[in-house]
Amino acid sequence: MVYAISILALVLIFTIATKVPINMGILAFAGAFLIGGWVSGIPIDDIVDAFPGDIFLIVAGITLLFAIAKANGTINIIVESALRLVHGRRWALVWMMFLLSGALMALGSPMAAGMLAPIAMRLAGKKKINPLLMGMAINHGALGCAFSPITIYGAFVNGLIKSAGYEANPLLLFIVPFALNTLFLAVLFAIYGRDLIHELPEDRDEITGAGAPTRPHPSPGSGTASATAVLPDVDVIGHTPFNRERIATLIGILLLALGSVTFNVDVGVSSICISTVLLLMAPKKMPRIEDKVAWPAVVLVCGMLTYMTVLKQNGTLDFLGDAATHLGSPLAAALILLYAAAIISAVGSSIGTLGIALPLAAPMLAAGELGALGFIIALAFASTVVDVSPFATNGSIVVAEADVEDRQRFQRNVLAYCGLVVLLAPLMAWALIVVPTSL
């Protein structure tokens, strides 16, 4: 009875959060206390102790650091410098937007694609680049780098891996989804981007701004934190100058990435300390910057992890693992779970889907018939690559910012592409990752 109620509560948490604007993490916290304390008899102190403090520091610290980087203009410098490198070449613009979106995501911005969409989609219209190609370039770039060790997704999945008792491999978790997202864009480029290799006569001057006055200042009232302030005019790249705050921010971001990857320094603690130094350098320039922290993401991640700990303590996850062993072939069960995660995530929250799917898969992995790390990476990829959906944040922003005559038709094109991704991505992940690591 306890198991049935726990599973039903999990389904209700996901369903309610999908249908109404209530943070899934709030529902998960409530579920943890009700199901854990009232139904399962777990002491409240034990449920409170299940709160993932390390994950809280990572998500809050990273989003605070990136908010500072946006507010002081450091992101402007990164974007402007990257776009100047392509010298107006249309094919290079597509791939630069892919890499730039990935770089911003890898550095910790959960809204990298959304921030670049106003720039990229207007450039696509101006330079006669297929809008689906450009939109998916920024989406696949961000989703390909979503599992950097210093992103919300990376911290979340690595935390789940460790809590399940497996050895995490942050490098593989980052590289494999990046490679598969690159493959998706390469196929799209082969279909829609081959003509871009032939450079238009005006390309070079329009993008570099040769012969035109530069206008580096943002639109009135937008501030440096605005997405469109990064590139105020599609024909001219701004010239945000270096100053001590921006240089310090760039150094801080590089030190954070180097410390976490090379020396295994705690990302949460490091990001909080670096953010504090940056705030002390300019305390009056960024008032109430803490409001820019992605608090909804913090609540969602921590709430789901707390609820999953309750399900582990009351035996529900072991029960589901035993049920999974009766499905027959572990490889068949893995493919079913990959497709389920992809379909649900395409219309819901990818982090929420991961928060449900990964713990549910843990008992099945404990049987030892599947390669644990390979399956987790495949599940992470299948749950996030479908965020190209027009129902997801990334996909919806691309549709909203597209420079097209018929927006409804473009939305249908994005939805059709998402359908192909949902159809192909789980099978690709299963065949290329799960099967080889399970033999």
Side-chain angles (χ1 to χ4, degrees), residues 303-329:
M304 288 302 299
L305 285 175
T306 301
Y307 186 76
M308 288 304 160
T309 301
V310 167
L311 295 193
K312 184 177 181 180
Q313 291 178 357
N314 71 8
T316 300
L317 295 185
D318 290 333
F319 167 77
L320 290 172
D322 293 338
T325 59
H326 293 88
L327 289 177
S329 169

Side-chain angles (χ1 to χ4, degrees), residues 114-198:
M115 185 172 61
L116 289 177
I119 305 167
M121 300 312 290
R122 287 160 60 202
L123 275 174
K126 184 72 176 178
K127 307 302 291 181
K128 298 180 175 61
I129 299 172
N130 185 288
L132 180 65
L133 175 62
M134 182 62 89
M136 295 308 105
I138 59 174
N139 274 347
H140 281 301
L143 297 171
C145 294
F147 294 98
S148 159
I150 59 174
T151 65
I152 295 172
Y153 291 96
F156 184 63
V157 174
N158 282 311
L160 282 175
I161 293 173
K162 292 179 181 178
S163 66
Y166 298 106
E167 185 177 350
N169 191 324
L171 184 60
L172 269 182
L173 179 62
F174 175 77
I175 289 176
V176 174
F178 177 76
L180 294 178
N181 273 278
T182 303
L183 180 59
F184 268 102
L185 181 60
V187 172
L188 265 182
F189 188 86
I191 298 171
Y192 296 113
R194 287 176 296 176
D195 63 314
L196 302 181
I197 297 174
H198 305 292

Side-chain angles (χ1 to χ4, degrees), residues 129-362:
I129 299 172
N130 185 288
L132 180 65
L133 175 62
M134 182 62 89
M136 295 308 105
I138 59 174
N139 274 347
H140 281 301
L143 297 171
C145 294
F147 294 98
S148 159
I150 59 174
T151 65
I152 295 172
Y153 291 96
F156 184 63
V157 174
N158 282 311
L160 282 175
I161 293 173
K162 292 179 181 178
S163 66
Y166 298 106
E167 185 177 350
N169 191 324
L171 184 60
L172 269 182
L173 179 62
F174 175 77
I175 289 176
V176 174
F178 177 76
L180 294 178
N181 273 278
T182 303
L183 180 59
F184 268 102
L185 181 60
V187 172
L188 265 182
F189 188 86
I191 298 171
Y192 296 113
R194 287 176 296 176
D195 63 314
L196 302 181
I197 297 174
H198 305 292
E199 186 174 339
L200 296 177
E202 68 273 16
D203 282 351
R204 185 179 183 88
D205 288 344
E206 285 190 359
I207 297 299
T208 59
T214 59
R215 296 186 293 277
H217 53 280
S219 57
S222 63
T224 54
S226 170
T228 56
V230 177
L231 188 77
D233 188 286
V234 295
D235 292 333
V236 181
I237 299 174
H239 294 273
T240 304
F242 283 94
N243 58 27
R244 66 176 192 135
E245 289 89 0
R246 292 164 187 159
I247 293 173
T249 304
L250 287 171
I251 293 173
I253 292 173
L254 290 174
L255 288 176
L256 177 65
L258 182 65
S260 63
V261 174
T262 307
F263 302 105
N264 201 29
V265 177
D266 186 277
V267 174
V269 174
S270 300
S271 57
I272 291 290
C273 293
I274 292 170
S275 297
T276 301
V277 172
L278 295 175
L279 289 173
L280 289 173
M281 290 180 66
K284 296 182 179 180
K285 290 184 179 180
M286 290 174 283
R288 301 194 63 81
I289 193 67
E290 66 276 4
D291 292 344
K292 302 297 183 180
V293 173
W295 294 118
V298 174
V299 174
L300 189 154
V301 170
C302 293
M304 288 302 299
L305 285 175
T306 301
Y307 186 76
M308 288 304 160
T309 301
V310 167
L311 295 193
K312 184 177 181 180
Q313 291 178 357
N314 71 8
T316 300
L317 295 185
D318 290 333
F319 167 77
L320 290 172
D322 293 338
T325 59
H326 293 88
L327 289 177
S329 169
L331 286 174
L335 183 59
I336 292 171
L337 188 53
L338 287 175
Y339 268 108
I343 293 170
I344 294 171
S345 185
V347 296
S349 164
S350 53
I351 281 195
T353 303
L354 279 170
I356 295 171
L358 282 173
L360 294 183

